[in-house]
Amino acid sequence: MFAVYATITIFASLLYGSAAVVYLIGHEFPKAQLDMKRLPRSWAPVLGMLLAAGSLGLLGGFALPMLGTLAAAGLVLYFIGALLAHLRVESHNLANWAGFFATAVAALAADLVYHWS
């Protein structure tokens, strides 16, 4: 079971870490997404930091299991918020969101099964 947990956790950490970098370097894609959702561009660094914290927290879960669990749960909540932002502006282009959300759910499920069952 450890191999499954480690694979999902490392993949999720790399995914969210790369997304955090894209937000934090000021790339145009996150700005366009914020514009589409009618959210202030000033939120980009904050959202990037939340993604970075989630990414690092997942890795920290190898040493402190509760940290990984909280990070995975936080990422699930982050992407529920992203879904609400999409629905608020009636955006139905949810393919990217679904991939990010499914990865967060998988990371949380793998963490819970490995550490807490």
Side-chain angles (χ1 to χ4, degrees), residues 71-82:
L75 286 164
V76 168
L77 293 174
Y78 176 98
F79 287 104
I80 289 172

Side-chain angles (χ1 to χ4, degrees), residues 8 11-12 15-16 51 58 71-84 86 94-109:
I8 292 171
F11 173 77
L15 178 68
Y16 301 126
L51 288 167
L58 289 174
L75 286 164
V76 168
L77 293 174
Y78 176 98
F79 287 104
I80 289 172
L83 175 63
L84 295 175
H86 273 277
L94 299 174
N96 288 339
W97 171 85
F100 278 93
F101 181 71
T103 303
V105 170
L108 179 59

Side-chain angles (χ1 to χ4, degrees), residues 28-97:
E28 192 56 38
F29 180 75
K31 293 175 186 175
Q33 288 295 305
L34 289 168
D35 292 343
M36 183 269 297
K37 294 175 189 117
R38 295 193 298 258
L39 296 170
R41 284 186 173 199
S42 63
W43 285 19
V46 174
L47 296 174
M49 290 303 292
L50 290 172
L51 288 167
S55 175
L56 294 173
L58 289 174
L59 294 178
F62 286 109
L64 299 169
M66 183 58 74
L67 178 61
T69 304
L70 292 173
L75 286 164
V76 168
L77 293 174
Y78 176 98
F79 287 104
I80 289 172
L83 175 63
L84 295 175
H86 273 277
L87 297 177
R88 182 176 67 89
V89 296
E90 299 179 10
S91 167
H92 301 289
N93 182 8
L94 299 174
N96 288 339
W97 171 85

